[in-house]
Amino acid sequence: MAETAPAPPSTPTRPFLRHPATAPLAVLVAGAAGSVYLYGTDPHQPGHLLPQCPFRLVTGLLCPACGGTRMVYDLMHGRWDAAWLDNRALLLAAPFALALLGRWMWEGLVRRRHWRPRLSGRAQLAVLGLAVLWTVVRNLR
């Protein structure tokens, strides 16, 4: 009768990838790295390595987020009026996005819990409706 070897202990190979703070920290690091590059790269000028909007490349129209890169660049350089002209909707939504990132970080780092924001069906429709409305309004100009 042949003996079988005992099964190896079941240990995750990368437990840090399952930690609740891994994803929000990765987003924060990626955002910081992108911000460092963007700070020294003027997206208002040609000849940079910043991606173009695929929606605009295909349709020639501005999507709801078009101008977001220029807006962030202008904010980092203290040009609030230019940021407002780049994308008003994103500028108004930015504090909410930062609050969501802060909550995600808090839940992962401090409370050690996975967290996902929940939007009701009505709230999802409202966000979608505002994005469509903003797209139409900004392309009529």
Side-chain angles (χ1 to χ4, degrees), residues 118-129:
R118 303 249 194 286
L119 284 179
S120 69
R122 273 191 187 167
Q124 291 176 26
L125 283 175
V127 170
L128 179 63

Side-chain angles (χ1 to χ4, degrees), residues 23-99:
L25 285 173
V27 169
L28 185 65
V29 168
S35 296
V36 167
Y37 176 74
L38 182 60
Y39 188 82
T41 306
D42 188 351
H44 298 281
Q45 303 298 323
H48 48 70
L49 296 175
L50 297 170
Q52 294 185 356
C53 174
F55 183 80
R56 189 167 188 187
L57 284 174
V58 172
T59 67
L61 299 171
L62 297 170
C63 80
C66 276
T69 304
R70 293 187 305 273
M71 179 197 75
V72 171
Y73 175 85
D74 289 334
L75 286 175
M76 288 192 296
H77 289 84
R79 296 196 295 255
W80 298 90
D81 55 337
W84 176 253
L85 295 175
D86 291 330
N87 193 321
R88 292 167 180 85
L90 279 183
L91 187 61
L92 293 172
F96 299 108
L98 290 173

Side-chain angles (χ1 to χ4, degrees), residues 15-24 103-104 106-109 111-118:
F16 65 92
L17 291 179
R18 296 179 188 262
H19 193 279
T22 301
R103 170 81 185 270
W104 194 21
W106 176 264
E107 293 293 333
L109 285 172
R111 301 183 80 188
R112 298 186 182 276
R113 296 186 332 177
H114 291 280
W115 180 76
R116 287 187 185 168
R118 303 249 194 286

Side-chain angles (χ1 to χ4, degrees), residues 61-62 132-141:
L61 299 171
L62 297 170
V132 169
L133 180 64
W134 174 237
T135 302
V136 170
V137 167
R138 70 189 312 211
N139 282 293
L140 289 176
R141 294 189 266 149

